[in-house]
Amino acid sequence: MAEGLSHDWGGADPAPSAAFDKADGQSIRFEDVSVRYGSTTVLSDLNLSVAPGEIMALLGPSGSGKTTALRAVAGFVTPTRGRVFVGGRDVTHVAPHARNLGMVVQNYALFPHMTVAENVAFGLRARRADRALIATRVEESLSMVGMGPYAARIPRALSGGQQQRVAIARALAIRPSVLLLDEPLSALDAQIRRQMVEEIGRLHAELPDLTILYVTHDQHEALSLADRIAIMRDGRLAALDTARTLFRRPPNRFSAEFLGRANVLAGRVEAVSEDGSVAEMIVEGQRLRGANIHGLAQGASALVCIRPHQLTMTAGAGAEHVRGRIAHVDWQGASETLTIRFGAGTLLVTAVPSSAPHRIGEDLSVYYDPSDATILPAEPSDG
């Protein structure tokens, strides 16, 4: 059997009739979950909760532990320590087929000799559903992902995006309480990926009670889809918050640089506002202010994070400015990214191209609103 097929339906269901009721959203909870393979720890003391009906993205580079965490929910990885709960039920040692979860993986995992309809029906047949219910569920699930007209085709007659739609329909046909998506779009080209992100968002709007745990290394997918994002690093949870908050107020350097492009500059806190909400740093001889979300004190080693799109060529009321020289221009049609050097520092600035093209070597002042910058504690590697 191809990898991934048993993720949705493998084995006999202990209570077939109950599995076909419409599933309400179920929570997911990791309680001190660690996974080790020999002497290697791949997931360390993970504590994380996903609310019913929420889309949570597990985001991180390869080897960060995100897929291991998802497989622990699915039942294909048993924690070395800790417990996994679905809907308040401890499923740590429950067989995968008894968890009522749907799972979609990046390689589609469709049976090549079966039609689209037969692939979608497979999980229901494994649960011994009656024919009328199977026919209804297959039709509903394929319609939901826009694949109804392709029911009689076999997988090799479909594009990659169409095959992934079928894989999603197959996972939904069993009416899972939780849908697990493991890098489901990574094998698709950029344009199809964007379309599929929109499709998954539309699907969740139609099924708002469905809880989705979405593993990806693609920040754009996470920002577009997720209610909250959990950023993983070296088997640990590095950051957790809403997509907007993590992007606007990253709590540390890793999350700032991994979730979107960021200018992160090191220095020392020179002054703090009376209420402590704003800190001022001196970086390469220039004053930079930002939101002091960590309550850093004067004299503390710190970082200032400013997103490239928050730097402009126009001074607003209360704006800070940075003077530098253009070192590189990356024109991308509707936008351009300027690399500005000031002393040993570098800033990336994303802007709409001007009628008079910017040139390398040109002196330039850029501006930002201090409320758009975030002051972060320095890390040991920042020297």
Side-chain angles (χ1 to χ4, degrees):
M1 183 179 295
E3 181 185 356
L5 293 178
S6 62
H7 294 186
D8 298 338
W9 46 73
D13 193 284
S17 61
F20 304 123
D21 295 333
K22 181 181 181 298
D24 293 326
Q26 298 288 327
S27 62
I28 303 170
R29 180 160 58 91
F30 298 86
E31 185 179 279
D32 297 320
V33 173
S34 294
V35 176
R36 296 185 184 88
Y37 298 118
S39 60
T40 302
T41 299
V42 294
L43 196 63
S44 182
D45 299 322
L46 178 62
N47 288 282
L48 180 66
S49 294
V50 186
E54 180 178 23
I55 300 179
M56 178 173 285
L58 293 181
L59 181 67
S62 297
S64 62
K66 58 188 187 297
T67 293
T68 299
L70 182 121
R71 289 175 65 83
V73 178
F76 297 100
V77 168
T78 301
T80 307
R81 65 180 298 270
R83 296 187 296 172
V84 178
F85 295 83
V86 175
R89 174 191 178 203
D90 187 344
V91 297
T92 310
H93 300 289
V94 173
H97 69 265
R99 299 187 184 199
N100 194 34
L101 309 174
M103 187 167 181
V104 179
V105 296
Q106 61 181 300
N107 63 353
Y108 321 136
L110 300 177
F111 286 110
H113 62 286
M114 290 184 179
T115 65
V116 164
E118 290 168 340
N119 267 283
V120 174
F122 183 81
L124 295 166
R125 287 176 177 154
R127 285 164 165 75
R128 301 186 297 280
D130 63 60
R131 289 186 178 182
L133 180 60
I134 291 175
T136 299
R137 285 287 177 81
V138 168
E139 182 179 0
E140 289 176 351
S141 300
L142 286 176
S143 176
M144 197 170 291
V145 297
M147 290 298 291
Y150 301 86
R153 294 195 186 183
I154 56 177
R156 70 169 178 267
L158 304 175
S159 68
Q162 290 171 331
Q163 290 186 57
Q164 199 59 293
R165 284 183 170 88
V166 174
I168 292 171
R170 183 181 61 188
L172 294 174
I174 64 168
R175 294 298 186 268
S177 59
V178 170
L179 181 61
L180 306 176
L181 301 176
D182 186 11
E183 301 275 12
L185 310 183
S186 61
L188 307 177
D189 63 44
Q191 182 176 356
I192 299 299
R193 250 193 337 265
R194 286 193 295 271
Q195 293 173 356
M196 286 299 298
V197 166
E198 293 174 1
E199 287 293 324
I200 294 171
R202 179 190 59 77
L203 180 67
H204 191 257
E206 293 184 15
L207 300 171
D209 291 333
L210 183 65
T211 305
I212 298 179
L213 189 60
Y214 191 106
V215 163
T216 182
H217 66 275
D218 188 303
Q219 56 181 283
H220 300 294
E221 291 176 19
L223 288 169
S224 297
L225 281 172
D227 299 306
R228 289 191 299 158
I229 298 174
I231 300 179
M232 304 291 294
R233 181 186 189 186
D234 298 332
R236 295 182 178 274
L237 184 63
L240 172 66
D241 215 317
T242 65
R244 288 182 179 274
T245 299
L246 274 184
F247 187 80
R248 179 170 168 75
R249 295 285 185 237
N252 50 53
R253 180 172 198 150
F254 180 78
S255 59
E257 294 180 329
F258 194 82
L259 188 65
R261 303 178 81 179
N263 296 297
V264 181
L265 306 169
R268 190 172 298 276
V269 175
E270 297 293 325
V272 177
S273 64
E274 187 174 343
D275 65 359
S277 64
V278 178
E280 179 180 303
M281 294 173 57
I282 302 298
V283 179
E284 297 296 323
Q286 301 197 42
R287 183 182 68 169
L288 302 177
R289 289 188 298 153
N292 190 20
I293 63 172
H294 291 276
L296 299 180
Q298 183 177 359
S301 296
L303 307 168
V304 59
C305 171
I306 312 171
R307 299 289 184 187
H309 71 276
Q310 292 169 330
L311 290 153
T312 69
M313 313 299 174
T314 306
E320 294 287 351
H321 75 280
V322 181
R323 298 177 302 278
R325 180 166 295 176
I326 298 176
H328 183 71
V329 179
D330 182 13
W331 181 77
Q332 297 132 11
S335 67
E336 65 182 0
T337 299
L338 309 178
T339 302
I340 310 292
R341 296 200 186 280
F342 63 108
T346 301
L347 283 175
L348 296 178
V349 181
T350 301
V352 176
S354 62
S355 56
H358 294 288
R359 302 185 183 279
I360 293 174
E362 176 186 345
D363 290 330
L364 189 68
S365 288
V366 293
Y367 303 84
Y368 73 95
D369 187 328
S371 67
D372 289 330
T374 304
I375 306 296
L376 306 174
E379 300 174 5
S381 59
D382 297 316

